[in-house]
Amino acid sequence: MSDKVLFYSLSRKFVDEKDDVPEEAKEIIYYGLAIGHHLGIVDCLKVVVSCSRQQYQDWLEYLPKGSEARQKMEGFFTFGEITIFPEHINMLANAFQAVISEQTPEFKTLSDSFITALGALHREPDVYIMVRGR
């Protein structure tokens, strides 16, 4: 079980072309990318927020039990990772903003960083946030 929880944000994508790919196959890759499939596409992720597993668990305690935001974030404990897409932005940002005044400075910093990452996701909807342990 990992001790660190890392929030990764998509920083860029590229087509892996280290092999000599025939032109016909390249057309399929680029067409797939254009319609939303990611055949042959490599996602480059960078860490935007990190905390210990215990901090993450304690941080989620501020969210109301049974709330949609808490259930989404607790998915990390069930699946070992969660992905946050644009459709989750408002729900999560509102939930953490609603409890930020109750938080200790340590958790306020974590919430602020997470809300900032959600703001970046809002400005660039092709981006996503991946929460994983390490």
Side-chain angles (χ1 to χ4, degrees):
M1 197 171 290
S2 60
D3 183 47
K4 293 290 276 182
V5 178
L6 303 171
F7 293 62
Y8 296 93
S9 178
L10 177 67
S11 61
R12 66 187 177 100
K13 293 181 177 212
F14 67 92
V15 176
D16 185 7
E17 294 181 341
K18 68 179 173 187
D19 295 325
D20 191 20
V21 178
E23 281 304 313
E24 299 82 22
K26 284 183 184 177
E27 289 177 22
I28 293 169
I29 290 171
Y30 289 118
Y31 175 74
L33 182 59
I35 62 171
H37 294 282
H38 296 247
L39 288 175
I41 305 303
V42 177
D43 288 353
C44 298
L45 303 171
K46 66 177 179 179
V47 176
V48 292
V49 179
S50 68
C51 61
S52 72
R53 186 180 181 88
Q54 187 60 55
Q55 285 173 309
Y56 184 81
Q57 195 165 3
D58 294 345
W59 181 50
L60 298 186
E61 289 295 320
Y62 286 99
L63 298 174
K65 288 188 184 340
S67 68
E68 185 179 6
R70 186 163 173 171
Q71 289 176 351
K72 174 68 177 169
M73 300 303 285
E74 286 178 335
F76 168 79
F77 298 112
T78 304
F79 305 110
E81 67 180 40
I82 57 172
T83 305
I84 299 168
F85 293 110
E87 58 266 26
H88 303 120
I89 295 170
N90 288 335
M91 177 258 301
L92 291 172
N94 290 336
F96 281 97
Q97 192 62 54
V99 298
I100 204 165
S101 64
E102 305 165 21
Q103 295 176 334
T104 65
E106 169 191 14
F107 294 115
K108 281 183 184 181
T109 300
L110 192 54
S111 291
D112 283 336
S113 298
F114 182 51
I115 291 168
T116 298
L118 291 172
L121 177 57
H122 176 70
R123 288 185 295 282
E124 184 55 61
D126 289 332
V127 172
Y128 60 88
I129 297 171
M130 175 72 66
V131 180
R132 288 185 174 160
R134 181 179 73 187

